[in-house]
Structures are given as C-alpha cells and as structure tokens.
Amino acid sequence: MKIVVTSHGDLCSGILNSMEMIAGKQENVFPVKLTESGIGNFSENLKSVLDELTTQDQVLILCDLKGGTPYNQSYQYYLENPNNVRVVSGLNLSMLIETAMMLGSTNDLDFLADIAVQAGQAGVEKISEDDSNEEDLEF
Amino acid sequence: MTISLVRIDDRIIHGQITTRWTKHKPVYGILAVADDVAQDTLRKKVLKAAAGSYKLGIYMVDQAPEKIAKAIESVKAYFLITNSPQVIARLLEKGVDIGKVLNVGCMNARPGATVLGRSVAIDQKDYEAFDYIESKGVKIEFQLLPDDEPKSWESMKKKYDSMK
C-alpha cells in the first residue's frame, strides 16, 4: 500500500520532510500539492499520481482540511474508485508517521484508514503537568 | 533476556525511539539510566511525557544493576537507554549483563567532542568507554534508525584516530 498526502500549498511536502527527519527516508509516501496555478492542474496531477499508484497498489489519501479542494478532489476520486483508495482528513504528523510505519505490515486499507484517524486524534492534546509520583517500574 | 534494546542516546526518549524503535523491537517499558537526569525533576517530567503509553523508570547508575536484573527476569520486554557510553562502561564494571549488542543513536556535537558522522560526536572519555565495552565482548552498532546500516566501533575508532 501507498500513502498520498495532499494539501493547500507546501504542507504535504513539508510534513514529509518533517517525518523523514524522525523516521528516515520514505519510499511509499507521495505529496501532491494544490498551488496558485489552480485547481485544473491540481486535479490532473492528483488523478495521474493516483491512477499510476492504483494500478499496483491500494492508496490511503491523507488530506489537510475537510472540505478544502485537496479533500474534495480526493473524495471524488474515492467515489469513482471505491476499491482502491480511502480518504482521511485532518492530516498531522502523528497520523502520517503511524500509518507510514504500518505500510509493510498490513494489506487492509480500511484498517489503515482507522489507524490514521486514531493516531491523528491521539496526537492532539492539551498538555497538563503530570503530578503522579509513580516513578518506578513494576517488573 | 527480556531487554530487547540497549541504546545510547543523549536525548534518551524522542521521536525516533517512540515511532521507530518501538515498532522494530518488542517493548513494554523503558529503563533510563543517567545520574544527571535522575536528579533533574524537570527533565524527568518531560521524559515521562515523551514516553507516553510506555512505562518509564529513570535511575541513578548505582540503582541500575538491581533494576536491570529484574527486567531481564521479567516476561515483559524493556529498552535500556543511557545518555553516554561511560554509563554502559560503569554498568559493565559492576558486572551487569547488558547482552551482546549495544546500539548507539544520537550523540550530538558538544564542546570537546569530535564529530564522526550524522549525529555521532565522541570525546576521549567516550572513546575509552567504547574500547572497554567492546573488550567485554559487547558488539557496538552505531545505528540511528532501524533501517540504517549499522557501523562498527572499529570503523568509528579509525575515523576518530585519523582526525586526532
């Protein structure tokens, strides 16, 4: 399986760069960005990347923003190709790393999409000071 | 032996540990051994948050042999992480069994240390510690991430010697 990250502007390539700093070079994650050159170019670009990847693989698409163009175009692609792609919105680094790390160990696209949602949500929290005194391990 | 990874990493717990090594080796909890960290309340809190769902114990070197022995006997798997090869050398001097392989991750550039490669800088005390560790039959692997090619102490040592 492969992952496509898609966004308004450079978020998708930037988040891949951030991920690689932590987790090393990624061969199975592909950024597709919407640029100022407009939606036409973006739609064609996204479609050609997805068409090529889906000839061999299933693809999880991670989108930056629910309701935005990358999301809408991804959703349309999903409606046309429901067997080969899944779409998750709210892209963040936890979501991307967790899913990319699982690419080699699962062939279940729906499971991978569920992991994306769980990891993405789990990564968002308000930090509060941990006052517990539990400092020792129990073996 | 249920210590699944023995690692030197000057940040102890960070993204590479929690997202990569924990997927590569079985782990339930992390034993961090470092006198400076064990005495630093703030850093302990931050490391505990960094460990997230993994159990974490932070110990002084003197406390470590007992804890390590318990981890080895346990059915659960642990990572043993210290921030310096000098800590590993001290553990070996105390007769602690750390297994056959020592993984070395981040040892960032700092005053007095010679940079030997991506994220590896060592000083003379580290050098002597690595020599001692290998003399005790422990194989040292410089390997930041699980899919990086491990580099030997022999090759790092040569590089250090050539730069002196």
Side-chain angles (χ1 to χ4, degrees), chain A residues 58-71:
Chain A
Q58 292 188 308
V59 179
L60 176 65
I61 309 173
L62 305 178
C63 306
D64 60 348
L65 184 70
K66 188 176 176 181
T69 294
Y71 170 89

mmCIF file with all atom_site columns, all heavy atoms in Angstrom, chain A residues 58-71:
data_model
loop_
_atom_site.group_PDB
_atom_site.id
_atom_site.type_symbol
_atom_site.label_atom_id
_atom_site.label_alt_id
_atom_site.label_comp_id
_atom_site.label_asym_id
_atom_site.label_entity_id
_atom_site.label_seq_id
_atom_site.pdbx_PDB_ins_code
_atom_site.Cartn_x
_atom_site.Cartn_y
_atom_site.Cartn_z
_atom_site.occupancy
_atom_site.B_iso_or_equiv
_atom_site.pdbx_formal_charge
_atom_site.auth_seq_id
_atom_site.auth_comp_id
_atom_site.auth_asym_id
_atom_site.auth_atom_id
_atom_site.pdbx_PDB_model_num
ATOM 1   N N   . GLN A 1 58 ? -3.117  -0.343 -3.321 1.00 0.00 ? 58 GLN A N   1
ATOM 2   C CA  . GLN A 1 58 ? -4.174  0.459  -2.740 1.00 0.00 ? 58 GLN A CA  1
ATOM 3   C C   . GLN A 1 58 ? -3.536  1.699  -2.109 1.00 0.00 ? 58 GLN A C   1
ATOM 4   O O   . GLN A 1 58 ? -2.372  1.660  -1.710 1.00 0.00 ? 58 GLN A O   1
ATOM 5   C CB  . GLN A 1 58 ? -4.915  -0.340 -1.684 1.00 0.00 ? 58 GLN A CB  1
ATOM 6   C CG  . GLN A 1 58 ? -5.703  -1.498 -2.293 1.00 0.00 ? 58 GLN A CG  1
ATOM 7   C CD  . GLN A 1 58 ? -6.590  -2.168 -1.271 1.00 0.00 ? 58 GLN A CD  1
ATOM 8   O OE1 . GLN A 1 58 ? -6.120  -2.545 -0.212 1.00 0.00 ? 58 GLN A OE1 1
ATOM 9   N NE2 . GLN A 1 58 ? -7.871  -2.284 -1.584 1.00 0.00 ? 58 GLN A NE2 1
ATOM 10  N N   . VAL A 1 59 ? -4.309  2.778  -2.011 1.00 0.00 ? 59 VAL A N   1
ATOM 11  C CA  . VAL A 1 59 ? -3.740  4.049  -1.574 1.00 0.00 ? 59 VAL A CA  1
ATOM 12  C C   . VAL A 1 59 ? -4.599  4.686  -0.479 1.00 0.00 ? 59 VAL A C   1
ATOM 13  O O   . VAL A 1 59 ? -5.822  4.794  -0.624 1.00 0.00 ? 59 VAL A O   1
ATOM 14  C CB  . VAL A 1 59 ? -3.624  5.039  -2.769 1.00 0.00 ? 59 VAL A CB  1
ATOM 15  C CG1 . VAL A 1 59 ? -3.056  6.377  -2.294 1.00 0.00 ? 59 VAL A CG1 1
ATOM 16  C CG2 . VAL A 1 59 ? -2.757  4.460  -3.873 1.00 0.00 ? 59 VAL A CG2 1
ATOM 17  N N   . LEU A 1 60 ? -3.922  5.096  0.591  1.00 0.00 ? 60 LEU A N   1
ATOM 18  C CA  . LEU A 1 60 ? -4.574  5.903  1.615  1.00 0.00 ? 60 LEU A CA  1
ATOM 19  C C   . LEU A 1 60 ? -4.236  7.364  1.332  1.00 0.00 ? 60 LEU A C   1
ATOM 20  O O   . LEU A 1 60 ? -3.064  7.715  1.219  1.00 0.00 ? 60 LEU A O   1
ATOM 21  C CB  . LEU A 1 60 ? -4.065  5.517  3.011  1.00 0.00 ? 60 LEU A CB  1
ATOM 22  C CG  . LEU A 1 60 ? -4.612  6.359  4.166  1.00 0.00 ? 60 LEU A CG  1
ATOM 23  C CD1 . LEU A 1 60 ? -6.118  6.172  4.342  1.00 0.00 ? 60 LEU A CD1 1
ATOM 24  C CD2 . LEU A 1 60 ? -3.881  6.027  5.467  1.00 0.00 ? 60 LEU A CD2 1
ATOM 25  N N   . ILE A 1 61 ? -5.258  8.196  1.184  1.00 0.00 ? 61 ILE A N   1
ATOM 26  C CA  . ILE A 1 61 ? -5.031  9.617  0.914  1.00 0.00 ? 61 ILE A CA  1
ATOM 27  C C   . ILE A 1 61 ? -5.264  10.397 2.215  1.00 0.00 ? 61 ILE A C   1
ATOM 28  O O   . ILE A 1 61 ? -6.330  10.295 2.826  1.00 0.00 ? 61 ILE A O   1
ATOM 29  C CB  . ILE A 1 61 ? -5.990  10.156 -0.165 1.00 0.00 ? 61 ILE A CB  1
ATOM 30  C CG1 . ILE A 1 61 ? -5.978  9.261  -1.407 1.00 0.00 ? 61 ILE A CG1 1
ATOM 31  C CG2 . ILE A 1 61 ? -5.620  11.595 -0.542 1.00 0.00 ? 61 ILE A CG2 1
ATOM 32  C CD1 . ILE A 1 61 ? -7.025  9.644  -2.461 1.00 0.00 ? 61 ILE A CD1 1
ATOM 33  N N   . LEU A 1 62 ? -4.255  11.135 2.639  1.00 0.00 ? 62 LEU A N   1
ATOM 34  C CA  . LEU A 1 62 ? -4.369  11.977 3.831  1.00 0.00 ? 62 LEU A CA  1
ATOM 35  C C   . LEU A 1 62 ? -4.462  13.435 3.380  1.00 0.00 ? 62 LEU A C   1
ATOM 36  O O   . LEU A 1 62 ? -3.557  13.930 2.699  1.00 0.00 ? 62 LEU A O   1
ATOM 37  C CB  . LEU A 1 62 ? -3.163  11.782 4.758  1.00 0.00 ? 62 LEU A CB  1
ATOM 38  C CG  . LEU A 1 62 ? -2.870  10.338 5.203  1.00 0.00 ? 62 LEU A CG  1
ATOM 39  C CD1 . LEU A 1 62 ? -1.613  10.288 6.085  1.00 0.00 ? 62 LEU A CD1 1
ATOM 40  C CD2 . LEU A 1 62 ? -4.061  9.731  5.936  1.00 0.00 ? 62 LEU A CD2 1
ATOM 41  N N   . CYS A 1 63 ? -5.572  14.111 3.736  1.00 0.00 ? 63 CYS A N   1
ATOM 42  C CA  . CYS A 1 63 ? -5.826  15.479 3.260  1.00 0.00 ? 63 CYS A CA  1
ATOM 43  C C   . CYS A 1 63 ? -5.691  16.468 4.404  1.00 0.00 ? 63 CYS A C   1
ATOM 44  O O   . CYS A 1 63 ? -6.035  16.162 5.547  1.00 0.00 ? 63 CYS A O   1
ATOM 45  C CB  . CYS A 1 63 ? -7.241  15.603 2.735  1.00 0.00 ? 63 CYS A CB  1
ATOM 46  S SG  . CYS A 1 63 ? -7.643  14.397 1.504  1.00 0.00 ? 63 CYS A SG  1
ATOM 47  N N   . ASP A 1 64 ? -5.263  17.675 4.072  1.00 0.00 ? 64 ASP A N   1
ATOM 48  C CA  . ASP A 1 64 ? -5.031  18.660 5.130  1.00 0.00 ? 64 ASP A CA  1
ATOM 49  C C   . ASP A 1 64 ? -6.320  19.163 5.777  1.00 0.00 ? 64 ASP A C   1
ATOM 50  O O   . ASP A 1 64 ? -6.363  19.377 6.985  1.00 0.00 ? 64 ASP A O   1
ATOM 51  C CB  . ASP A 1 64 ? -4.180  19.840 4.612  1.00 0.00 ? 64 ASP A CB  1
ATOM 52  C CG  . ASP A 1 64 ? -4.806  20.593 3.454  1.00 0.00 ? 64 ASP A CG  1
ATOM 53  O OD1 . ASP A 1 64 ? -5.794  20.100 2.862  1.00 0.00 ? 64 ASP A OD1 1
ATOM 54  O OD2 . ASP A 1 64 ? -4.295  21.681 3.117  1.00 0.00 ? 64 ASP A OD2 1
ATOM 55  N N   . LEU A 1 65 ? -7.371  19.366 4.972  1.00 0.00 ? 65 LEU A N   1
ATOM 56  C CA  . LEU A 1 65 ? -8.533  20.093 5.505  1.00 0.00 ? 65 LEU A CA  1
ATOM 57  C C   . LEU A 1 65 ? -9.832  19.551 4.933  1.00 0.00 ? 65 LEU A C   1
ATOM 58  O O   . LEU A 1 65 ? -10.010 19.508 3.708  1.00 0.00 ? 65 LEU A O   1
ATOM 59  C CB  . LEU A 1 65 ? -8.386  21.576 5.121  1.00 0.00 ? 65 LEU A CB  1
ATOM 60  C CG  . LEU A 1 65 ? -9.437  22.538 5.660  1.00 0.00 ? 65 LEU A CG  1
ATOM 61  C CD1 . LEU A 1 65 ? -9.292  22.710 7.165  1.00 0.00 ? 65 LEU A CD1 1
ATOM 62  C CD2 . LEU A 1 65 ? -9.316  23.889 4.961  1.00 0.00 ? 65 LEU A CD2 1
ATOM 63  N N   . LYS A 1 66 ? -10.710 19.162 5.829  1.00 0.00 ? 66 LYS A N   1
ATOM 64  C CA  . LYS A 1 66 ? -12.017 18.679 5.400  1.00 0.00 ? 66 LYS A CA  1
ATOM 65  C C   . LYS A 1 66 ? -12.756 19.783 4.653  1.00 0.00 ? 66 LYS A C   1
ATOM 66  O O   . LYS A 1 66 ? -12.860 20.914 5.141  1.00 0.00 ? 66 LYS A O   1
ATOM 67  C CB  . LYS A 1 66 ? -12.821 18.261 6.645  1.00 0.00 ? 66 LYS A CB  1
ATOM 68  C CG  . LYS A 1 66 ? -14.119 17.576 6.339  1.00 0.00 ? 66 LYS A CG  1
ATOM 69  C CD  . LYS A 1 66 ? -14.782 17.124 7.634  1.00 0.00 ? 66 LYS A CD  1
ATOM 70  C CE  . LYS A 1 66 ? -16.137 16.510 7.328  1.00 0.00 ? 66 LYS A CE  1
ATOM 71  N NZ  . LYS A 1 66 ? -16.825 16.080 8.554  1.00 0.00 ? 66 LYS A NZ  1
ATOM 72  N N   . GLY A 1 67 ? -13.243 19.484 3.473  1.00 0.00 ? 67 GLY A N   1
ATOM 73  C CA  . GLY A 1 67 ? -13.991 20.473 2.701  1.00 0.00 ? 67 GLY A CA  1
ATOM 74  C C   . GLY A 1 67 ? -13.146 21.325 1.771  1.00 0.00 ? 67 GLY A C   1
ATOM 75  O O   . GLY A 1 67 ? -13.681 22.051 0.936  1.00 0.00 ? 67 GLY A O   1
ATOM 76  N N   . GLY A 1 68 ? -11.825 21.252 1.907  1.00 0.00 ? 68 GLY A N   1
ATOM 77  C CA  . GLY A 1 68 ? -10.946 22.003 1.012  1.00 0.00 ? 68 GLY A CA  1
ATOM 78  C C   . GLY A 1 68 ? -10.788 21.274 -0.321 1.00 0.00 ? 68 GLY A C   1
ATOM 79  O O   . GLY A 1 68 ? -11.218 20.123 -0.478 1.00 0.00 ? 68 GLY A O   1
ATOM 80  N N   . THR A 1 69 ? -10.175 21.950 -1.282 1.00 0.00 ? 69 THR A N   1
ATOM 81  C CA  . THR A 1 69 ? -10.031 21.362 -2.619 1.00 0.00 ? 69 THR A CA  1
ATOM 82  C C   . THR A 1 69 ? -9.290  20.013 -2.633 1.00 0.00 ? 69 THR A C   1
ATOM 83  O O   . THR A 1 69 ? -9.768  19.070 -3.262 1.00 0.00 ? 69 THR A O   1
ATOM 84  C CB  . THR A 1 69 ? -9.348  22.378 -3.567 1.00 0.00 ? 69 THR A CB  1
ATOM 85  O OG1 . THR A 1 69 ? -10.237 23.471 -3.723 1.00 0.00 ? 69 THR A OG1 1
ATOM 86  C CG2 . THR A 1 69 ? -9.043  21.763 -4.925 1.00 0.00 ? 69 THR A CG2 1
ATOM 87  N N   . PRO A 1 70 ? -8.148  19.897 -1.961 1.00 0.00 ? 70 PRO A N   1
ATOM 88  C CA  . PRO A 1 70 ? -7.472  18.576 -1.984 1.00 0.00 ? 70 PRO A CA  1
ATOM 89  C C   . PRO A 1 70 ? -8.391  17.459 -1.452 1.00 0.00 ? 70 PRO A C   1
ATOM 90  O O   . PRO A 1 70 ? -8.432  16.358 -2.003 1.00 0.00 ? 70 PRO A O   1
ATOM 91  C CB  . PRO A 1 70 ? -6.260  18.783 -1.065 1.00 0.00 ? 70 PRO A CB  1
ATOM 92  C CG  . PRO A 1 70 ? -5.967  20.240 -1.188 1.00 0.00 ? 70 PRO A CG  1
ATOM 93  C CD  . PRO A 1 70 ? -7.323  20.896 -1.266 1.00 0.00 ? 70 PRO A CD  1
ATOM 94  N N   . TYR A 1 71 ? -9.135  17.774 -0.432 1.00 0.00 ? 71 TYR A N   1
ATOM 95  C CA  . TYR A 1 71 ? -10.088 16.817 0.152  1.00 0.00 ? 71 TYR A CA  1
ATOM 96  C C   . TYR A 1 71 ? -11.215 16.515 -0.844 1.00 0.00 ? 71 TYR A C   1
ATOM 97  O O   . TYR A 1 71 ? -11.559 15.363 -1.095 1.00 0.00 ? 71 TYR A O   1
ATOM 98  C CB  . TYR A 1 71 ? -10.642 17.416 1.445  1.00 0.00 ? 71 TYR A CB  1
ATOM 99  C CG  . TYR A 1 71 ? -11.804 16.675 2.071  1.00 0.00 ? 71 TYR A CG  1
ATOM 100 C CD1 . TYR A 1 71 ? -11.588 15.650 2.989  1.00 0.00 ? 71 TYR A CD1 1
ATOM 101 C CD2 . TYR A 1 71 ? -13.121 17.030 1.753  1.00 0.00 ? 71 TYR A CD2 1
ATOM 102 C CE1 . TYR A 1 71 ? -12.654 14.991 3.578  1.00 0.00 ? 71 TYR A CE1 1
ATOM 103 C CE2 . TYR A 1 71 ? -14.194 16.371 2.339  1.00 0.00 ? 71 TYR A CE2 1
ATOM 104 C CZ  . TYR A 1 71 ? -13.962 15.351 3.243  1.00 0.00 ? 71 TYR A CZ  1
ATOM 105 O OH  . TYR A 1 71 ? -15.011 14.699 3.825  1.00 0.00 ? 71 TYR A OH  1
#
